[in-house]
Amino acid sequence: MAALLLVAAASGCTAGAPGAVTGSPGAHGLRDRLFPKLGNGGYDVSHYALDLEYDPAAHRLKGVAEITARATQELSAFSLDLAGLKVDGATVEGRKAAVNRAGNELTLRPKRDLRKGETFRTVVRYSGTPARITNADTDQEGWLRAEDGKVSIAVGQPSGSMTWFPGNNHPSDKATYDIKVTVPEGQTALSNGELRNAPTVRAGRVTYDWRMREPMASYLAMLAVGKFEVMRATAPAELDAEEENAVRTVPVYAAAEESMDGPSARLRGRIPEMMEWCVLNFGPYPFSSVGSVVARDGDVGYALETQTKPVYGGMESFESAQLHELAHQWFGNSVSPKTWSDMWLNEGFAEYAEWMYTEDHGGESARKRFEREFAQGANWAFPPSSPPDPSRISDAPVYKRGAMVLHRIRQAVGDEPFLGIVQGWAADHRHGNASTADFTAYVDDATDEDLSDIWKVWLHGDDKPATPAG
């Protein structure tokens, strides 16, 4: 396995030597309003290199995580989020680091303090049985192993990624990833991005080497191990503005468990045509590959927009789910939330993408859908910009009323200017993070219309308007 090293870009003195840095520990948790303990302060990760070995029969994971980061303060110690797994050793800048565990916090104390602005590499070696966890809204996440043991799928919204690798587990700290996975021969290991090279077989084990070139929030990392059928194709990623012909394409990796023959498995073949619609409406695709991982009903109980390869549990309405998760690649994955309170920027956009797609393909108009959702009391339980607690981040106001906010903008500015706002927002914040305040400021700058009532009533307001016109 590759070692996990944190290499300093600037040389430093050992603690106690003349000119030594006097640092302080980075914060435990980023004090996110909804998930205050997730993430950690004092550093910013630029790259994760994960080298993993998984034995499905024993349900045992062995890993080496190499984390490249930059100190954002003078650091005497820093923490990573890691749940359950045993730490077998850690180094910072190639030297053994002191290790302390307290719940899901892994605190490392390097041999010397780290200077503010210094780039360093940390290596953590770990092993054990990766676990599933139940999040605040009772969904299962983390390492989801099927009852028959034939497949394991790791997903992480909002916190489950810490069950299979240590990291700064908050969407505000995005990084690139290399994920190398070794499994028994005959098994397939799927992860984000593209294969760096062909799988290699040695002594009855096969290694898959995946690379996610563009920045990714930790909750969007995924891993699937089992027997999968993988469909390969290409999909349009950018269109000629005049001819609407593809001027750039990306590879498609569309996987389904081998035993599946339902509509969700068959609809994988529609990714290229759905991508064409998305690119036409949202602008150039922000990543270098696209795909899907379709699981049996019960192995994963929902769909999730894991970056470049959304994961789908067995579901009947797969077409709308597939469009929803593809839209997330622009809204949520490329433009990621600054905090978990900004989730409506993910889900409102993806939900409204479904309304637009249905309208464009001869179904219910977005206006009719807006009026139907306006009548639903559940959509008015709280403002989409302010989920009251962690258990509510996937509730109706975040999705449905979030989409209603976008429809009200469309009504106010007109169809073409609205598409310009959507595409401009995705382009201006590509591969970054954005807040609700960033969005309202962007839209206000992009139009001469006064949208203050939309923000006050539809986005932030507690009370339902008397009519859909507000």
Side-chain angles (χ1 to χ4, degrees), residues 40-240:
N40 297 283
Y43 64 96
D44 180 74
V45 179
S46 60
H47 186 69
Y48 293 90
L50 308 179
D51 194 343
L52 310 173
E53 294 181 8
Y54 180 61
D55 182 346
H59 186 26
R60 182 171 177 81
L61 178 70
K62 185 177 181 181
V64 177
E66 177 180 334
I67 306 166
T68 304
R70 180 180 58 84
T72 57
Q73 67 176 65
E74 295 180 349
L75 274 178
S76 60
F78 60 94
S79 297
L80 300 165
D81 299 301
L82 183 66
L85 298 165
K86 175 189 174 186
V87 175
D88 301 312
T91 62
V92 177
E93 290 296 285
R95 303 179 68 186
K96 185 176 180 179
V99 174
N100 182 63
R101 295 293 297 275
N104 296 330
E105 291 288 339
L106 166 63
T107 301
L108 303 181
R109 184 175 293 276
K111 288 289 186 183
R112 64 167 180 84
D113 290 355
L114 301 168
R115 287 189 174 88
K116 181 178 180 179
E118 179 179 348
T119 298
F120 61 100
R121 291 196 182 105
T122 301
V123 178
V124 180
R125 294 177 173 82
Y126 57 100
S127 59
T129 299
R132 68 174 60 212
I133 58 177
T134 302
N135 60 32
D137 62 4
T138 73
D139 278 338
Q140 300 284 297
E141 57 168 324
W143 194 279
L144 306 180
R145 184 172 184 252
E147 288 187 7
D148 59 12
K150 290 183 177 180
V151 67
S152 291
I153 298 179
V155 289
Q157 183 176 299
S159 59
S161 294
M162 63 183 175
T163 65
W164 58 286
F165 67 93
N168 198 17
N169 197 16
H170 190 271
S172 61
D173 192 0
K174 299 170 74 169
T176 56
Y177 284 72
D178 287 322
I179 303 175
K180 183 184 293 186
V181 190
T182 300
V183 294
E185 191 174 1
Q187 298 275 298
T188 301
L190 300 157
S191 193
N192 310 87
E194 306 84 56
L195 283 169
R196 298 178 64 186
N197 43 54
T200 57
V201 179
R202 182 177 181 182
R205 298 180 69 77
V206 58
T207 299
Y208 293 82
D209 194 354
W210 295 93
R211 168 165 287 179
M212 185 66 245
R213 303 182 206 176
E214 298 87 11
M216 178 168 72
S218 58
Y219 80 92
L220 297 170
M222 62 79 59
L223 179 63
V225 177
K227 292 184 180 294
F228 289 89
E229 175 190 75
V230 181
M231 183 198 79
R232 302 290 293 270
T234 59
E238 191 169 353
L239 299 177
D240 181 277

Side-chain angles (χ1 to χ4, degrees), residues 37 70 105 131 159 187 193 202 226 276 282 336 339 373 379:
K37 294 182 180 180
R70 180 180 58 84
E105 291 288 339
S159 59
Q187 298 275 298
R202 182 177 181 182
E276 182 175 4
F282 309 144
S336 299
T339 74
E373 295 298 345
N379 293 332

Side-chain angles (χ1 to χ4, degrees), residues 298-373:
D299 289 353
V300 179
Y302 49 84
L304 187 66
E305 64 269 23
T306 44
Q307 195 153 303
T308 70
K309 291 184 185 65
V311 171
Y312 304 90
M315 54 189 64
E316 294 181 4
S317 58
F318 184 76
E319 181 179 31
S320 60
Q322 184 162 263
L323 191 282
H324 183 105
E325 308 309 337
L326 283 175
H328 268 311
Q329 304 308 306
W330 283 261
F331 309 108
N333 295 14
S334 177
V335 186
S336 299
K338 282 186 178 177
T339 74
W340 285 107
S341 296
D342 300 310
M343 269 289 283
W344 82 274
L345 287 170
N346 296 18
E347 303 301 349
F349 267 97
E351 177 73 19
Y352 196 66
E354 291 186 54
W355 299 9
M356 293 168 61
Y357 184 85
T358 299
E359 180 177 65
D360 283 355
H361 289 80
E364 182 180 40
S365 70
R367 180 180 63 82
K368 286 290 186 183
R369 181 64 183 271
F370 168 81
E371 292 172 352
R372 183 155 58 86
E373 295 298 345

